[in-house]
């Protein structure tokens, strides 16, 4: 078990999300960086969908009330177990009474703290993710407070620790791009925007404003203008959809997005790039590249293959490490 | 199976005795070790090493598996250790990348890291000398 000693309420328990409820108005929630979640779970031998604590603001400090192994993935801020610094994306053993402190990173937003078997919270509508708007799921349907006590689902799971995984930032070659490139499919209302605006969308670097969070990313840049103003009834939308309200400044729906909206949709971030977008810090910039449906599917396939390969290598190491 | 450490011992003995070729077989494996013909040290008899009253030689930390050696973390180049650092026994001093895995390289004993024997990010073989660690003090 761990006791949260220091946190902001923006830390929350997340798994891969709540699928299948959008038509009832139940949003998906789930980890903003599903690659980090799954790789961290693999480090401990957890199921890929096991829940972890997603941490967007630092420092966060927890105390272990028993001997327990853990892993930290997601970001590249300092990770201290008492006064020993751990490598990034690493698994380790904590002893009873030890404190783990996670510090901020300047270029990656979110960290994940994984425990053996996942964080032990009840499944609600098929997921352990916190639905912050609906106040259900996760730990008591809310973000974490200091004093909260969270249990590992399989504290005795065991297996080797003290090793790590190459972060997808390095493995997928996105670590050193000064402005991250996010792949986007044109969406239903793409053609209502002027040619100049469409060009501006692809060619400018967009600023991620401080009004960006798990619900959505609000961007700022040269405004995008529709040929004729379009009013639409609210209709179903999913995470990744890029809406353009009348002020011409796009909003990208993220994991806690509401399931419907009425603004024109200019594009959709492809699934394979949602993890990357979810990790880009507020205040930095992002660019978009247009892809076709086939390229989006291919990117998804390649990412799945990469992830399965990395997870298989971890599983092999866990089986044979002495 | 033979452990890598045993194989290294066998290779060292071959080198000292001048044996050029050896084949070892077990139930599920067969291993052939052959000395590099260019290796002059494999000619017996080797002169015994001079006994010197100098301070203890540096201890070489070697790679326990083939991989890519990282003295800085590949994610953001944060330095793990650098020459001149004093380390405790069991302290993490480098990472060995194997595929997507990053495995720890620990210091076998307390001491001072004198020098890195290979470039950061280079491919190393089993037994490649990674870091010279000064002994004693």
């Amino acid at each position: 078990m761990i006791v949260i000693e220091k946190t902001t309420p923006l830390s929350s328990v997340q798994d891969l999300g709540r699928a299948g409820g959008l038509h009832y108005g139940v949003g998906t929630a789930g980890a903003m960086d599903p690659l980090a979640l799954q790789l961290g779970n693999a480090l401990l031998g957890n199921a890929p969908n096991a829940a972890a604590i997603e941490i967007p603001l630092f420092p966060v400090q927890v105390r272990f009330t028993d001997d327990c192994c853990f892993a930290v993935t997601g970001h590249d801020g300092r990770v201290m177990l008492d006064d020993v610094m751990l490598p990034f994306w690493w698994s380790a053993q904590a002893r009873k009474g030890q404190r783990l402190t996670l510090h901020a990173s300047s270029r990656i937003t979110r960290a994940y703290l994984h425990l053996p078997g996942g964080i032990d919270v009840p499944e609600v509508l098929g997921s352990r993710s916190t639905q912050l708007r609906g106040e259900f799921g996760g730990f008591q349907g809310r973000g974490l407070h200091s004093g909260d006590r969270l249990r590992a689902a399989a504290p005795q799971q065991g297996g080797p620790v003290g090793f790590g995984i190459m972060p997808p930032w390095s493995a997928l070659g996105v670590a050193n791009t000064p402005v991250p490139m996010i792949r986007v499919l044109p969406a239903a209302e793409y053609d209502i925007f002027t040619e100049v605006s469409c060009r501006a969308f692809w060619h400018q670097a967009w600023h991620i404003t401080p009004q960006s969070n798990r619900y959505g990313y609000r961007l700022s840049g040269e405004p995008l203008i529709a040929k004729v103003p379009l009013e639409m009834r609210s209709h179903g939308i999913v995470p990744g959809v890029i809406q353009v309200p009348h002020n011409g400044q796009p909003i990208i729906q993220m994991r806690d997005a509401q399931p419907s909206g009425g603004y024109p949709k200019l594009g959709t971030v492809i699934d394979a790039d949602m993890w990357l977008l979810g990790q880009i810090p507020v205040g930095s910039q992002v660019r978009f590249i247009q892809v076709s449906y086939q390229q989006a599917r291919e990117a998804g396939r390649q990412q799945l293959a990469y992830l399965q390969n990395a997870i298989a290598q971890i599983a092999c190491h866990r089986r044979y490490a002495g | 199976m033979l452990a890598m450490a045993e194989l290294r011992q066998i290779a060292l003995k071959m080198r000292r005795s001048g044996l050029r070729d050896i084949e070892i077989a077990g139930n599920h494996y067969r291993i052939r070790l052959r000395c590099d013909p260019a290796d002059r040290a494999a000619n017996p008899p080797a002169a015994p090493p001079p006994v010197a009253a100098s301070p203890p030689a540096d201890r070489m930390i070697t790679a326990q598996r083939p991989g890519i050696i990282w003295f800085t973390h590949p994610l953001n180049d944060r330095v793990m250790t650098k020459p001149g650092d004093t380390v405790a026994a069991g302290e993490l001093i480098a990472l060995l990348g194997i595929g997507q895995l990053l495995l720890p390289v620990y210091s076998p004993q307390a001491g001072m890291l004198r020098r890195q024997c290979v470039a950061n990010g280079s491919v190393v073989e089993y037994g490649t000398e990674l870091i010279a660690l000064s002994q004693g003090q």
Side-chain angles (χ1 to χ4, degrees):
Chain A
M1 189 158 69
I2 58 170
V3 180
I4 310 284
E5 295 196 324
K6 195 183 289 177
T7 184
T8 70
L10 295 180
S11 299
S12 62
V13 174
Q14 301 291 345
D15 60 10
L16 287 175
R18 196 167 274 110
L22 279 175
H23 60 303
Y24 295 120
V26 177
T28 55
M32 291 279 273
D33 183 348
L35 291 186
L37 180 82
Q38 293 172 85
L39 290 169
N41 278 330
L43 287 176
L44 295 180
N46 296 348
N49 190 31
I53 301 176
E54 181 180 279
I55 302 162
L57 276 181
F58 301 86
V60 162
Q61 189 171 69
V62 307
R63 182 167 46 84
F64 290 88
T65 60
D66 306 281
D67 290 3
C68 187
C69 53
F70 66 94
V72 177
T73 61
H75 82 331
D76 65 343
R78 264 184 309 135
V79 178
M80 306 293 295
L81 182 61
D82 285 343
D83 53 358
V84 173
M85 196 179 338
L86 301 180
F88 315 114
W89 298 68
W90 199 255
S91 62
Q93 174 73 48
R95 298 291 166 205
K96 179 179 175 175
Q98 280 194 302
R99 280 189 172 79
L100 178 71
T101 313
L102 309 189
H103 296 273
S105 146
S106 60
R107 45 175 217 156
I108 305 179
T109 304
R110 282 160 241 275
Y112 292 84
L113 170 57
H114 311 264
L115 296 181
I119 307 288
D120 186 18
V121 293
E123 215 177 84
V124 179
L125 297 175
S127 165
R128 293 184 168 81
S129 285
T130 314
Q131 172 57 258
L132 292 166
R133 198 194 299 268
E135 297 181 1
F136 64 86
F139 185 79
Q140 301 177 2
R142 60 169 172 82
L144 300 179
H145 302 161
S146 53
D148 285 347
R149 303 169 86 84
L150 288 90
R151 280 197 315 263
Q156 306 307 323
Q157 189 164 259
V161 289
F163 71 100
I165 185 79
M166 186 70 87
W169 293 83
S170 318
L172 302 176
V174 292
N176 295 316
T177 45
V179 179
M181 304 288 269
I182 301 292
R183 289 168 286 186
V184 167
L185 276 169
E189 287 82 50
Y190 182 79
D191 291 332
I192 74 157
F193 293 92
T194 65
E195 231 167 87
V196 173
S197 285
C198 288
R199 257 203 312 278
F201 177 75
W202 302 115
H203 287 132
Q204 69 180 308
W206 290 91
H207 177 78
I208 298 179
T209 70
Q211 288 76 47
S212 299
N213 50 36
R214 286 186 49 88
Y215 294 97
Y217 275 24
R218 287 178 177 269
L219 311 180
S220 74
E222 186 190 318
L224 304 173
I225 312 296
K227 290 173 196 156
V228 283
L230 180 68
E231 300 283 347
M232 292 192 298
R233 288 173 192 273
S234 280
H235 52 275
I237 54 173
V238 294
V241 163
I242 303 171
Q243 296 180 312
V244 183
H246 300 309
N247 66 5
Q249 304 293 304
I251 304 169
I252 310 179
Q253 303 300 314
M254 299 304 281
R255 296 305 297 252
D256 281 346
Q258 54 187 24
S260 65
Y263 294 129
K265 303 177 296 298
L266 185 143
T268 306
V269 174
I270 69 171
D271 254 4
D273 285 354
M274 285 300 283
W275 75 274
L276 178 57
L277 184 61
Q279 286 288 23
I280 299 173
V282 158
S284 53
Q285 291 187 316
V286 64
R287 284 178 184 276
F288 300 110
I289 340 175
Q290 185 171 354
V291 292
S292 67
Y293 179 73
Q294 286 72 23
Q295 288 170 318
R297 290 294 301 268
E298 183 52 29
R301 267 193 294 272
Q302 281 177 11
Q303 187 170 92
L304 185 64
Y306 149 74
L307 185 64
Q308 285 175 341
N309 177 265
I311 290 173
Q313 289 183 28
I314 296 170
C316 181
H317 178 71
R318 283 180 53 83
R319 206 170 311 126
Y320 296 110
Chain B
M1 272 291 286
L2 285 171
M4 288 303 277
E6 289 177 80
L7 279 180
R8 185 161 176 80
Q9 280 304 314
I10 294 168
L12 279 173
K13 282 182 185 164
M14 284 174 68
R15 194 165 189 263
R16 279 196 212 107
S17 65
L19 190 62
R20 300 213 152 269
D21 209 324
I22 191 170
E23 201 166 306
I24 307 162
N27 279 340
H28 308 290
Y29 66 89
R30 181 186 297 271
I31 291 163
R32 185 164 194 192
L33 298 175
R34 194 183 293 165
C35 270
D36 181 354
D39 184 5
R40 288 196 190 101
N43 291 325
V51 182
S54 55
D58 288 347
R59 173 162 179 180
M60 287 300 181
I61 300 172
T62 57
Q64 295 307 297
R65 311 173 193 223
I68 296 173
I69 188 69
W70 295 106
F71 300 115
T72 66
H73 197 286
L75 177 55
N76 61 1
D77 301 329
R78 188 179 77 191
V79 173
M80 314 231 7
T81 54
K82 57 185 186 311
D85 286 357
T86 2
V87 294
E91 192 171 325
L92 183 65
I93 51 178
L95 299 173
L96 189 63
I98 300 170
Q100 298 293 324
L101 295 172
L102 291 172
L103 304 184
V105 178
Y106 294 115
S107 178
Q109 62 185 62
M112 199 250 288
L113 303 181
R114 277 205 195 280
R115 115 188 112 82
Q116 295 168 351
C117 312
V118 285
N120 191 41
S122 58
V123 176
V124 296
E125 303 283 341
Y126 170 82
T128 301
E129 292 175 340
L130 304 175
I131 298 169
L133 180 71
S134 76
Q135 311 202 61
Q137 293 125 49

